[in-house]
DNA sequence: CATAGACCTTCCCATCATTGGAAGGTCAAG
DNA sequence: CTTGACCTTCCAATGATGGGAAGGTCTATG
């Protein structure tokens, strides 16, 4: 299986497969006589794991840890859960931060008539130094 | 006022002030005889505007537009509002996407005992190819 | 068997906003 | 006059990804 087929089978682009190999998230692939990378079923499985974890927003570094635990059949589930929990906390933080922004932004947008006249509370707010608002 | 004072007064780091000048978000600053950048009150005001807009999550390119409108005393508020509205929509999208992630992540974390035993639904889910779940 | 075109390889560059640091010049207080 | 805190420019790195060039390989068809 060459890199293109592995990409199709796993949902990870060929570009990213090479990148993951470079940063040692994947072991260096076997090569054919002509130098093409050669993948097997277990490589695809690993790539699918990575793909799904990326979809869930895990960073590459956290995926590195998850892969190690995945390959360690005696890992305590505690360790996996703590990685997931840390990730959840970060996502929650980001959401909270953005909801704070949204509140302010909606407030400003609501106050702006959005018509042909120049008066605009949005610009006024940006200009008047950083009231918490 | 040198760049350090302007940074303190505006909340934008000296590094970023130079960068904003480089990308023409700011006009090139006047220079003293020895080559130091020299800022006045209106420069600081503009920097404060940028600072506040960045805090609200506006991209540099949108801030570029906002600054143009800010400097145009005859702009229609409609144009300002549409920039803000586009930004709001993007933030809302991101929040929705992350809330979707959270739901899945919490589900997985809840299913994992997080104890000393190896059984772990989180890893199982990542390994079993991308069910929507 | 030759050729086309769809692959593959490596290498470099760009993104976005920001920070870090090196090497060297300037300013102000002691 | 020295010291230390500034300033200057230039280069590099971040994280994950995509784009593209230059060149080699594979395969199907004429």
């Amino acid at each position: 299986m060459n890199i293109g087929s592995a990409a199709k089978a796993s949902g990870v682009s060929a570009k990213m497969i090479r990148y993951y190999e470079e940063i040692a998230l994947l072991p260096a692939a076997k090569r054919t006589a002509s130098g093409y990378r050669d993948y097997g079923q277990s490589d695809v499985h690993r790539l699918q794991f990575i793909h799904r974890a990326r979809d869930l927003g895990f960073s590459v570094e956290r995926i590195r840890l998850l892969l190690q635990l995945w390959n360690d059949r005696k890992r305590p589930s505690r360790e996996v859960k703590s990685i997931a929990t840390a990730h959840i906390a970060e996502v929650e933080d980001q959401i909270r931060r953005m909801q704070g922004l949204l509140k302010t932004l909606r407030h400003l947008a609501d106050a702006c008539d959005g018509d042909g006249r120049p008066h605009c509370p949005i610009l006024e707010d940006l200009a008047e130094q950083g009231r918490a608002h």
Side-chain angles (χ1 to χ4, degrees), chain A residues 42-59:
Chain A
S42 75
D43 299 301
V44 170
H45 203 184
R46 195 173 171 97
L47 281 167
Q48 285 169 335
F49 183 103
I50 295 172
H51 182 53
R52 172 110 177 102
R54 286 294 300 140
D55 270 1
L56 288 176
F58 283 99
S59 72

Side-chain angles (χ1 to χ4, degrees), chain A residues 19-20 23 25 54 58-65:
Chain A
Y19 172 68
Y20 291 152
I23 65 173
L25 197 62
R54 286 294 300 140
F58 283 99
S59 72
V60 163
E61 286 317 309
R62 284 218 171 104
I63 294 175
R64 197 185 297 279
L65 302 176

Side-chain angles (χ1 to χ4, degrees), chain A residues 27-115:
Chain A
K30 279 175 311 218
R31 301 294 185 123
T32 66
S34 60
Y36 282 21
R37 284 176 182 80
D38 189 21
Y39 297 98
Q41 215 30 67
S42 75
D43 299 301
V44 170
H45 203 184
R46 195 173 171 97
L47 281 167
Q48 285 169 335
F49 183 103
I50 295 172
H51 182 53
R52 172 110 177 102
R54 286 294 300 140
D55 270 1
L56 288 176
F58 283 99
S59 72
V60 163
E61 286 317 309
R62 284 218 171 104
I63 294 175
R64 197 185 297 279
L65 302 176
L66 290 172
L67 283 168
Q68 280 165 16
L69 295 172
W70 188 40
N71 287 340
D72 174 6
R73 270 178 305 179
K74 295 195 298 290
R75 82 263 155 174
S77 67
R78 190 192 306 112
E79 294 189 20
V80 183
K81 188 164 182 171
S82 87
I83 294 174
T85 303
H87 180 45
I88 288 172
E90 283 176 11
V91 175
E92 284 170 342
D93 270 8
Q94 260 188 290
I95 290 178
R96 259 194 299 278
R97 231 196 68 249
M98 288 199 288
Q99 279 170 339
L101 296 191
L102 260 195
K103 201 176 158 192
T104 305
L105 289 165
R106 285 198 184 119
H107 199 261
L108 289 175
D110 281 356
C112 174
D113 290 336
D115 58 15

